[in-house]
Amino acid sequence: MKSVYNFVVEPIGGRYNNTKNVGDSELILNTEMYNHKYVNREAKVLSSPIITNSNIKVGDKVILHHNVFRRWENQYGEEKNSRSYFEENKYFVNEDQIFLYKRNKDWIAPKEYCFIKPIKSIDNYDNNSERPCIGIVKYSVEKSLIGCLVGFHPGSEYEFVVDGQRLYRVLSNLITIKYEYQGNEEEYNPSWAESS
């Protein structure tokens, strides 16, 4: 089945990532459908659109917008599927809802986005674990940026967990400065992200 303008994807796992195995038991972390942090964002591409110039191919693993698999309640309290829903375990996804794709074990950031790994705070008087608006570029369409220490515009970051690492998705044009390494930079990954 092919769509004219949309990719067809299926979730990897379920719609929500709200359980964790603890020993022999399964622990439910969240039971509400409103919290976007527990919505699954990983999918596999089943078909590409008829009209596209995208590099994303059938079989690629993709990281999506959190509303693709999400359910919601209308004004009457009736539970509904997202507008992306096609049929059981199949969803239509516009290219601008795909933020990262994986092919041959490599993550690739499409178009104008990059993914930045935060770094640990070095200020002993600061309660924050990470330095605000500074990080190391992990994935970018601009290969020259990967591995660079950069600063980005406040409020431009959006949090994702990719392969057990917390990363910020930032528009490449909102990177405001490229820093020189001082030697004391250390990547920061909270323990909750590693177990996601």
Side-chain angles (χ1 to χ4, degrees):
M1 194 240 140
K2 279 191 170 268
S3 169
V4 177
Y5 301 109
N6 296 309
F7 290 89
V8 178
V9 301
E10 68 177 350
I12 296 173
R15 284 180 178 222
Y16 290 87
N17 292 334
N18 59 354
T19 61
K20 186 173 292 211
N21 291 328
V22 180
D24 295 337
S25 302
E26 185 177 67
L27 176 66
I28 298 173
L29 303 173
N30 178 50
T31 58
E32 61 185 30
M33 68 175 82
Y34 303 109
N35 194 335
H36 71 278
K37 290 186 177 186
Y38 295 100
V39 176
N40 184 12
R41 296 181 182 170
E42 295 182 358
K44 179 182 174 185
V45 176
L46 298 177
S47 75
S48 56
I50 295 168
I51 300 172
T52 185
N53 60 356
S54 174
N55 293 327
I56 300 168
K57 307 279 186 233
V58 173
D60 286 348
K61 181 178 179 180
V62 293
I63 303 293
L64 306 170
H65 192 278
H66 62 267
N67 282 339
V68 172
F69 303 135
R70 193 180 211 169
R71 290 183 61 82
W72 55 281
E73 289 181 355
N74 67 11
Q75 67 270 28
Y76 305 109
E78 299 165 336
E79 198 171 306
K80 300 286 185 180
N81 290 308
S82 73
R83 71 177 191 90
S84 300
Y85 182 82
F86 171 55
E87 61 185 28
E88 193 62 36
N89 272 350
K90 289 190 175 96
Y91 298 81
F92 291 120
V93 177
N94 216 337
E95 187 176 357
D96 65 356
Q97 293 176 299
I98 298 175
F99 301 128
L100 202 58
Y101 66 97
K102 187 176 194 176
R103 184 177 305 135
N104 300 330
K105 300 182 182 179
D106 292 326
W107 284 106
I108 303 163
K111 293 190 183 172
E112 66 271 359
Y113 292 109
C114 63
F115 282 76
I116 298 174
K117 178 88 170 154
I119 59 173
K120 283 186 179 178
S121 176
I122 54 174
D123 185 353
N124 293 333
Y125 301 106
D126 188 1
N127 289 342
N128 295 321
S129 301
E130 64 185 53
R131 293 175 67 185
C133 302
I134 298 174
I136 299 167
V137 177
K138 287 293 185 183
Y139 311 114
S140 174
V141 73
E142 297 177 46
K143 300 296 182 201
S144 62
L145 269 181
I146 296 174
C148 291
L149 182 66
V150 297
F152 50 89
H153 194 276
S156 64
E157 73 276 11
Y158 194 78
E159 184 179 288
F160 283 80
V161 176
V162 179
D163 289 343
Q165 294 187 75
R166 185 175 65 149
L167 304 172
Y168 292 131
R169 183 203 71 186
V170 177
L171 280 166
S172 296
N173 64 356
L174 294 178
I175 291 177
T176 55
I177 190 167
K178 192 170 165 183
Y179 292 104
E180 294 293 327
Y181 279 99
Q182 303 299 311
N184 59 354
E185 297 86 5
E186 188 179 341
E187 292 181 358
Y188 176 70
N189 198 40
S191 60
W192 60 263
E194 294 171 8
S195 60
S196 291

